[in-house]
């Protein structure tokens, strides 16, 4: 059988036009089948110690670019595997007499296989089967080997391009992961810096609160003495002097002067108001000390309601202009907790609620004891959280705030404190009417903690 040079030339040009490995292999299978008028042609590509069917023409190709059943053949097994191992072409005149023949979806009676060799290594095998015995000639073997030799550098080049592209994709993926890691590292660094600042502020606040507490203490004590002892005594003396019949008229006029009596009457109220102010300042200092206490790893029996009240006392200046805060605090059993860290959680949730309120809104805080659990709810009438974001809000570094306005660590820290450090639960429910955070802390069967 003679083959036209024009067909071989067209086949070679077709190969040159295929840049992608997969396209090239299908082009070779089709070209061999059409040039040599084979009923079947399969391209096996070597991958390590295996040969993988990559393209087929004819009976093993039901429709465009499909193979009936893609198989893998170990190098050294079967006729195709042996050609790959030896690097030498073979013609099997009758497969029924050759135990190496591997039957797949097509029973061939004769087979022709040639190696595709590049730089001394078999990189592929071109294989054809016929339903007739002794159907291949040595000339066809030689011609198919020529085609394989022509295809060899193109297949090697396409493989190299594919590996290059895969390497580039991996590099781009690694580069993106590296960028993400650097961004997270930058966020983490910023968060650590902020954490150090807050720790320093906490220590400083505790020290200042301690220093202010001393003068506040004796100021309150002195005013209590003035209000309870000195003012009543002074008032009694003035009344006795007024009642003295021998009091000169000029002195009596001074004692009955309207301005003097106004000051005398108002002195008690002013002193009481000043005393109340100092007591309020003392309570704020106590709350500040309690909130920023340094023994951050100590668990003690605490009243959760008092922790919430202390936190609100610290935040009252932040909340007075934008929010109406309502409390519904039911009696709770004391529970072994790290009250300083819980106060941090309360503050974070309350400030999140405030930030969610664009105009005047409401924040409601409630507590109750249910079935061995203390439940704290912090709800607001703010803008709410989109449903698509709810699953991520406790994830570190996740934030919906603009760049520079949030680290994405606040709620993640809250989750760690409640769920990991206190064996509790923290959940959220939200819609466009507002958001509710629910904290649950176990009371029964608590693990004893010591410093």
């Amino acid at each position: 059988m003679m083959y036209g040079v024009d067909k071989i030339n067209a086949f070679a040009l077709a190969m040159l036009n295929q840049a992608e490995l997969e396209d090239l292999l299908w082009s070779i299978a089709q070209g061999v089948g059409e040039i040599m008028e084979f009923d079947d042609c399969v391209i096996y590509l070597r991958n390590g110690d295996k040969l993988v069917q990559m393209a087929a023409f004819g009976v093993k190709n039901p429709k465009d670019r499909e193979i009936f059943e893609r198989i893998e053949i170990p190098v050294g097994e079967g006729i195709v595997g042996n050609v790959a191992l030896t690097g030498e072409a073979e013609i099997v005149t009758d497969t029924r007499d050759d135990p190496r023949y591997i039957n797949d979806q097509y029973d061939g009676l004769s087979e022709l296989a040639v190696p595709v060799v590049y730089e001394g290594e078999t990189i592929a095998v071109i294989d054809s089967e016929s339903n007739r015995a002794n159907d291949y000639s040595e000339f066809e073997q030689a011609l198919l080997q020529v085609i394989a030799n022509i295809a060899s550098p193109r297949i090697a080049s396409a493989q190299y391009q594919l590996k290059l592209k895969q390497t580039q994709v991996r590099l781009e993926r690694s580069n993106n992961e590296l960028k993400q890691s650097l961004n997270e590292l930058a966020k983490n660094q910023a968060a650590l810096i902020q954490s150090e600042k807050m720790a320093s502020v906490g220590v400083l606040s505790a020290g200042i609160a301690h220093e202010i507490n001393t003068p506040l203490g004796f100021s309150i004590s002195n005013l209590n003495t003035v209000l309870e002892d000195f003012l009543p005594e002074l008032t009694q003396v003035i009344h006795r002097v007024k009642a003295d019949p021998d009091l000169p008229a000029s002195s009596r006029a001074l004692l009955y002067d309207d301005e003097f009596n106004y000051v005398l009457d108002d002195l008690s109220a002013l002193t009481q108001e000043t005393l109340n102010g100092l007591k309020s300042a003392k309570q704020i200092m106590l709350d500040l000390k309690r909130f920023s206490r340094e023994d951050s790893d100590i668990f003690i029996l605490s009243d959760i309601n008092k922790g919430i009240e202390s936190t609100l006392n610290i935040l009252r200046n932040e909340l007075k202009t934008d929010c109406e805060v309502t409390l519904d605090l039911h009696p709770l059993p004391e529970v072994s907790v790290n009250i300083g860290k819980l106060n941090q959680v309360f503050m974070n949730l309350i400030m999140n609620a405030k930030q969610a309120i664009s105009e005047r809104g409401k924040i409601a805080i409630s507590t109750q004891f249910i079935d061995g659990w203390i439940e704290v709810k912090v709800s607001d009438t703010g803008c709410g959280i989109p449903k698509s974001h709810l699953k991520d809000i406790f994830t570190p570094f996740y934030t919906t705030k603009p760049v520079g306005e949030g680290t994405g660590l606040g709620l993640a820290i809250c989750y760690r404190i409640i769920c990991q450090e206190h064996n509790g639960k923290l959940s959220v429910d939200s819609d466009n009417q507002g958001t509710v955070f629910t904290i649950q802390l176990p009371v029964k069967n608590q693990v004893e903690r010591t410093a």
Side-chain angles (χ1 to χ4, degrees), residues 405-426:
E405 292 187 17
T407 62
L409 286 174
L411 290 176
I413 291 173
C414 291
Y415 188 88
R416 186 197 70 210
I417 291 173
I418 297 299
C419 300
Q420 297 178 9
E421 298 183 14
H422 287 82
N423 299 320
K425 303 174 184 178
L426 178 59

Side-chain angles (χ1 to χ4, degrees), residues 21-30 41-45 52-57 60-61 65-67 70 125 127:
L21 179 62
E22 184 179 353
D23 296 335
L24 176 63
L25 296 176
W26 281 98
S27 175
I28 293 172
Q30 180 180 355
C41 180
V42 177
I43 307 294
Y44 290 88
L45 195 63
V52 183
Q53 279 185 342
M54 296 298 296
F57 171 82
K60 294 181 182 176
N61 174 216
R65 290 205 174 192
E66 284 190 12
I67 300 175
R70 190 183 300 274
V125 174
D127 180 68

Side-chain angles (χ1 to χ4, degrees), residues 2-3 35 61 65 78 117 143 154 184 205-206 214 216 233 244 266 272 287 289 296 307 366 392 399 444-445:
M2 298 298 294
Y3 300 95
I35 290 172
N61 174 216
R65 290 205 174 192
V117 180
L143 180 58
R154 287 293 301 123
E184 290 184 359
S205 299
T214 300
L216 276 177
E233 181 68 24
D244 185 357
D266 208 33
Q272 184 62 60
D287 291 337
K289 283 184 68 178
S296 58
S366 65
D392 296 315
T399 178
K444 293 181 179 179
N445 302 320

Side-chain angles (χ1 to χ4, degrees), residues 46-194:
R46 185 165 183 171
N47 182 12
D49 59 355
K50 291 182 179 180
L51 294 166
V52 183
Q53 279 185 342
M54 296 298 296
F57 171 82
V59 294
K60 294 181 182 176
N61 174 216
K63 59 181 180 178
D64 189 38
R65 290 205 174 192
E66 284 190 12
I67 300 175
F68 270 119
E69 183 180 351
R70 190 183 300 274
I71 65 172
E72 295 183 359
I73 300 175
V75 173
E77 293 187 16
I79 298 168
V80 171
N82 191 66
V83 169
L85 180 64
T86 64
E88 296 179 0
E90 280 198 48
I91 294 176
V92 178
T93 58
D94 193 333
T95 59
R96 291 171 293 186
D97 298 331
D98 194 324
R100 298 175 304 167
Y101 180 73
I102 297 176
N103 184 289
D104 51 14
Q105 70 277 359
Y106 174 67
D107 294 329
L109 295 180
S110 58
E111 184 171 355
L112 169 61
V114 301
V116 180
V117 180
Y118 183 75
E119 294 185 346
E121 292 186 7
T122 302
I123 60 174
V125 174
I126 302 177
D127 180 68
S128 178
E129 295 183 35
S130 172
N131 59 4
R132 296 180 297 275
N134 198 24
D135 198 30
Y136 296 102
S137 67
E138 292 184 1
F139 176 76
E140 287 174 322
Q141 175 184 320
L143 180 58
L144 187 57
Q145 187 65 68
V146 170
I147 293 174
N149 294 341
I150 295 173
S152 171
R154 287 293 301 123
I155 294 176
S157 176
Q159 283 182 308
Y160 174 76
Q161 292 297 327
L162 179 61
K163 288 181 180 179
L164 193 62
K165 185 178 292 185
Q166 290 172 341
T167 301
Q168 184 178 1
V169 170
R170 286 195 296 268
L171 285 174
E172 288 177 356
R173 187 182 299 117
S174 298
N175 191 35
N176 290 334
E177 291 175 355
L178 182 60
K179 286 181 180 178
Q180 185 177 355
S181 297
L182 288 173
N183 288 336
E184 290 184 359
L185 183 62
K187 288 181 181 179
N188 195 21
Q189 185 179 24
L192 288 174
I193 293 173
Q194 182 66 16

